[in-house]
Amino acid sequence: CNTGSCDRDCKLSGWSPWAPCSMACSGGITTRFKSVIVPIRGQGKCPKKKSRRRFQNKKCNKQDCVGDEICIAKQDLIIALDASGSLKVDGYEIVKNFAANLTKRYRSKYFGSDAMKVGVALFGNGHLIPLPAGGTSITSAINLQPLSFDLKVVREKIEGTSWQRGFTNMAQAFATADTMLGQGGRPEAQSAVMV
């Protein structure tokens, strides 16, 4: 008795829905996959995650961009503005104007649903500060604008900034962005930081 094999191949789910396209225009990629619903046993076999039997991708949104595209993603975005000494005044003005113009492409509401929520962290303001126990640290980035659906206010805050001429310390930006996303981010929205 019990002379049969204990080995069992895995059992896969059906195909997942196609993921959203990675680009709105000029060509992107969409993917779908199959999950393991019954794992292997013993010497059973199962296709690898990136195997053609479990993973597929295809091109999508192949039409050319025309320049009037908008972003309606359900996303919490922190724009990290580099105001460090590395850029000089003219370089910072270019970065600042680009970021302000970019906010015009976002929509905080689309067909009555919440979409983009944007905040701004200003970094490059760093200078050394003495610590009470000795040694030094670098000042934190500035939480210029917490995450907000009011994109006009976000744009005005960006336009009101000036070159800081401090250290180029991206750790400042990421630490502040992480705090901002933790304080005002939505669990159901994608979180992103743009430098």
Side-chain angles (χ1 to χ4, degrees), residues 100-165:
N101 287 332
L102 187 64
T103 62
K104 295 175 184 175
R105 298 289 188 167
Y106 297 132
R107 299 294 180 265
S108 58
K109 289 249 187 236
Y110 198 71
F111 287 109
S113 296
D114 289 341
M116 293 294 298
K117 197 173 180 187
V118 181
V120 183
L122 183 69
F123 75 103
N125 58 307
H127 58 274
L128 295 176
I129 53 173
L131 296 173
T136 57
S137 184
I138 297 176
T139 54
S140 298
I142 299 167
N143 179 342
L144 187 68
Q145 172 61 49
L147 284 166
S148 173
F149 289 114
D150 191 340
L151 300 179
K152 183 178 180 210
V153 168
V154 172
R155 189 165 35 262
E156 289 169 354
K157 290 282 184 140
I158 292 170
E159 291 169 345
T161 62
S162 59
W163 181 52
Q164 301 291 302
R165 69 182 128 209

Side-chain angles (χ1 to χ4, degrees), residues 7-48:
D7 298 337
R8 177 183 68 204
D9 291 343
C10 71
K11 183 174 179 187
L12 300 175
S13 68
W15 287 106
S16 68
W18 287 102
C21 191
S22 62
M23 299 290 286
C25 52
S26 292
I29 301 290
T30 182
T31 60
R32 68 179 184 169
F33 60 91
K34 289 183 178 184
S35 299
V36 174
I37 53 177
V38 177
I40 63 169
R41 184 170 51 210
Q43 298 297 313
K45 295 186 176 15
C46 195
K48 295 186 182 212

